[in-house]
Amino acid sequence: MSSHTTTPKKPRTRRISESTIRRLSIYYRALARLEAEGYHTVSSKELARRERLTPAQVRKDLSFFGSFGTRGLGYPVSELRGKIARILGIDRMWNVALIGVGNIGSALVAYKEFQRQGFHIRRIFDNDQRKIGSNHKGIMVSDIADLESELKASKIEITVIAVPAHAAQDVADRCVRAGIKAMLNFAPVNLKVPDDVCLRTENMSMELEYLSFSRVNQGSVETVLLDAEKA
Amino acid sequence: MSSHTTTPKKPRTRRISESTIRRLSIYYRALARLEAEGYHTVSSKELARRERLTPAQVRKDLSFFGSFGTRGLGYPVSELRGKIARILGIDRMWNVALIGVGNIGSALVAYKEFQRQGFHIRRIFDNDQRKIGSNHKGIMVSDIADLESELKASKIEITVIAVPAHAAQDVADRCVRAGIKAMLNFAPVNLKVPDDVCLRTENMSMELEYLSFSRVNQGSVETVLLDAEKA
DNA sequence: AATTGTGAAATTGTTCACAGCA
DNA sequence: TGCTGTGAACAATTTCACAATT
């Protein structure tokens, strides 16, 4: 378990599941809260209780990345938080560009949580002449016509796509051409990007549809089967 | 396969996985587009190709709810769309209340996609005296002090929580007391609700953190292991 | 005594492959 | 022939259970 040994105990490469990464984000936030509450140490049991997970899940997730705890004691809150920040890559700043400053885009510019996590909006793009040149929280809105060149010039690493659905694929294609490898999409469409580009889509309607489904079929699918057949 | 037999061939109740429900939303949107493009029929192969899934996945997902296709032909686009709408519970209107009309809340009021899917914002609540009484897209902002009574009076079925993180748990508790069974939360906290209440949390930072992770560890976790250990 | 770290078992989710039908 | 529907095989993920460690 010591980090000085030269003989590795496990394979150096592993595929980490999406769910593990999502939980890492959860642990990070929980640890931040624990730190604020003055805790120095936390057990997998307590961390799991707070986030409605199982202790084994917490330990297994963390074990993929190393041995961060002390047997009999638990995990050091502040230190573990730092380790997770490093794993997630949020121990640094990211240059983000926002494309589309309509309703959702405007909300995102004002959303302080992004800044707090190290995601800094450096450029804003829109195609509306009335918006171009205007100021949003200290950032001039650029003409989307200059997207590719500006993205490159300003060393943007992540783009947030907040344009209408019909324009989203074109914007995504142009980001790809500008060398962007990570995008967060708020348009309710399934964008196509090359394999080496990481794309996440935030689909708010989908979440509401999930709620709707859960309400209509209170936990089980008995009624769905019946209804769908008779429909 | 016929729905007239009195002896069911499979158990009438089944637990449907979250991923299947999410894909149902995807199929629904894809079918809407196919319909607009004039298709009458679609095969699992084509549907899968468009949404980057596998044909077997599409067929398996749909088979949980019934037999909607025709062997040799495929699925009837418009009809299947209707069936999925019914399964998801979006073949009706839902009364939604928005709680918190800050940056994100304002964006949600203006977000047309919700309306289009049958989710109608009927009430808006805030605790800011300057906002109370003001008009947002035809809806008067109510005082959050009246939350419980107004939720009941207006037959709200789903609440959307868009208040600051520190206020979110209290709002959720009050929604529960008002009998709300479905909530969509935009505050970056893990809210605690009773088992019979369905809660979804839309966490935008989490998605950015996922992108960050993917960028830092290009697909594999080799570097994470090394970095986390030496850190 | 308490709690981690982790193989092994259990469970859940996905893909295969083919019978059955249009 | 083409394509669905589905049990069986396979793969991934979660949970269990316990040795190891403080």
Side-chain angles (χ1 to χ4, degrees):
Chain A
M1 302 306 133
S2 123
S3 44
H4 313 112
T5 63
T6 43
T7 48
K9 278 168 209 74
K10 42 187 172 183
R12 306 261 74 192
T13 304
R14 201 194 303 265
R15 263 275 299 294
I16 299 295
S17 74
E18 180 173 327
S19 33
T20 293
I21 302 169
R22 297 187 72 87
R23 283 192 300 268
L24 243 34
S25 290
I26 292 172
Y27 304 147
Y28 178 80
R29 244 171 289 281
L31 289 164
R33 209 159 310 123
L34 282 160
E35 204 174 358
E37 290 172 21
Y39 288 89
H40 288 186
T41 280
V42 68
S43 66
S44 57
K45 194 176 162 190
E46 171 63 9
L47 198 47
R49 192 191 59 73
R50 287 180 168 236
E51 299 302 319
R52 301 249 158 131
L53 299 163
T54 67
Q57 180 98 81
V58 173
R59 296 200 300 277
K60 176 68 83 178
D61 283 338
L62 295 176
S63 79
F64 291 142
F65 303 97
S67 299
F68 305 131
T70 308
R71 288 164 201 238
L73 256 171
Y75 299 90
V77 171
S78 173
E79 200 182 313
L80 181 58
R81 187 180 168 214
K83 294 262 173 72
I84 293 178
R86 195 189 179 94
I87 292 166
L88 287 176
I90 55 174
D91 59 339
R92 45 158 290 187
M93 282 191 185
W94 289 90
N95 294 322
V96 178
L98 172 69
I99 310 174
V101 63
N103 297 308
I104 293 173
S106 306
L108 295 176
V109 177
Y111 193 55
K112 295 201 187 64
E113 192 73 8
F114 285 166
Q115 296 259 3
R116 208 173 294 143
Q117 306 283 325
F119 299 101
H120 288 266
I121 297 179
R122 308 290 193 194
R123 284 286 185 285
I124 302 177
F125 297 90
D126 206 294
N127 69 348
D128 186 336
Q129 290 302 326
R130 286 164 302 180
K131 289 175 187 164
I132 294 166
S134 73
N135 196 302
H136 272 258
K137 297 260 164 181
I139 305 155
M140 248 358 157
V141 177
S142 306
D143 190 334
I144 201 166
D146 307 326
L147 186 63
E148 288 91 330
S149 58
E150 282 235 35
L151 285 180
K152 282 182 195 162
S154 50
K155 298 209 170 61
I156 297 294
E157 299 159 294
I158 299 175
T159 54
V160 175
I161 301 177
V163 301
H166 63 83
Q169 184 63 61
D170 179 57
V171 165
D173 292 344
R174 293 173 63 191
C175 289
V176 169
R177 261 181 268 131
I180 299 295
K181 300 288 183 206
M183 308 184 199
L184 179 57
N185 170 41
F186 282 88
V189 277
N190 213 326
L191 300 180
K192 266 77 173 181
V193 294
D195 282 348
D196 68 329
V197 175
C198 186
L199 167 77
R200 306 288 298 176
T201 294
E202 193 85 69
N203 193 327
M204 298 177 278
S205 300
M206 207 177 259
E207 297 298 333
L208 278 178
E209 283 161 17
Y210 187 97
L211 287 179
S212 166
F213 175 88
S214 305
R215 270 306 80 210
V216 170
N217 321 281
Q218 316 227 36
S220 90
V221 174
E222 195 163 3
T223 50
V224 174
L225 288 170
L226 296 169
D227 287 0
E229 276 163 26
K230 78 162 180 263
Chain B
M1 306 302 133
S2 126
S3 45
H4 314 111
T5 63
T6 42
T7 47
K9 278 169 210 72
K10 43 186 173 184
R12 305 261 75 190
T13 305
R14 199 194 305 265
R15 263 275 301 293
I16 299 295
S17 74
E18 181 173 326
S19 32
T20 293
I21 302 170
R22 297 186 70 87
R23 284 192 299 266
L24 243 33
S25 290
I26 292 171
Y27 303 148
Y28 178 80
R29 244 171 289 281
L31 289 163
R33 209 159 310 124
L34 282 161
E35 205 175 357
E37 290 172 23
Y39 288 89
H40 288 186
T41 280
V42 68
S43 66
S44 57
K45 192 176 162 189
E46 172 61 10
L47 198 45
R49 190 192 59 74
R50 286 180 168 235
E51 300 303 319
R52 302 249 158 132
L53 299 164
T54 68
Q57 181 96 81
V58 172
R59 297 201 302 276
K60 175 69 87 178
D61 283 338
L62 295 176
S63 79
F64 291 142
F65 303 98
S67 298
F68 306 130
T70 308
R71 289 165 201 237
L73 255 172
Y75 299 90
V77 171
S78 174
E79 201 182 312
L80 181 58
R81 188 180 167 213
K83 294 262 173 72
I84 292 178
R86 194 188 180 95
I87 292 166
L88 287 176
I90 55 174
D91 58 339
R92 44 159 291 186
M93 281 190 185
W94 290 90
N95 295 321
V96 178
L98 171 70
I99 310 174
V101 62
N103 297 309
I104 293 173
S106 307
L108 295 176
V109 178
Y111 193 55
K112 295 201 186 66
E113 192 73 7
F114 285 167
Q115 297 257 5
R116 210 172 293 144
Q117 306 283 324
F119 299 101
H120 288 266
I121 296 179
R122 307 292 193 193
R123 285 285 184 287
I124 301 176
F125 297 91
D126 206 294
N127 69 348
D128 187 335
Q129 290 301 325
R130 286 164 301 181
K131 289 174 187 165
I132 295 167
S134 73
N135 196 302
H136 272 258
K137 296 262 163 181
I139 306 156
M140 250 354 157
V141 177
S142 306
D143 190 334
I144 200 167
D146 307 325
L147 185 64
E148 288 92 329
S149 58
E150 283 236 36
L151 286 181
K152 282 182 195 164
S154 50
K155 297 210 170 61
I156 296 296
E157 299 159 294
I158 299 175
T159 54
V160 176
I161 301 178
V163 301
H166 63 83
Q169 184 62 61
D170 179 57
V171 166
D173 293 344
R174 293 174 63 191
C175 289
V176 169
R177 263 182 267 131
I180 299 295
K181 300 287 185 207
M183 310 185 199
L184 180 56
N185 170 41
F186 283 88
V189 277
N190 213 326
L191 300 180
K192 265 76 171 184
V193 294
D195 282 348
D196 68 328
V197 174
C198 186
L199 168 78
R200 306 287 299 174
T201 294
E202 193 86 68
N203 194 326
M204 297 176 280
S205 300
M206 208 179 258
E207 297 298 332
L208 279 178
E209 284 161 17
Y210 187 97
L211 287 178
S212 166
F213 175 87
S214 305
R215 269 308 79 213
V216 170
N217 320 282
Q218 316 227 39
S220 92
V221 174
E222 195 164 4
T223 50
V224 174
L225 288 170
L226 296 169
D227 287 0
E229 277 163 26
K230 78 161 179 263

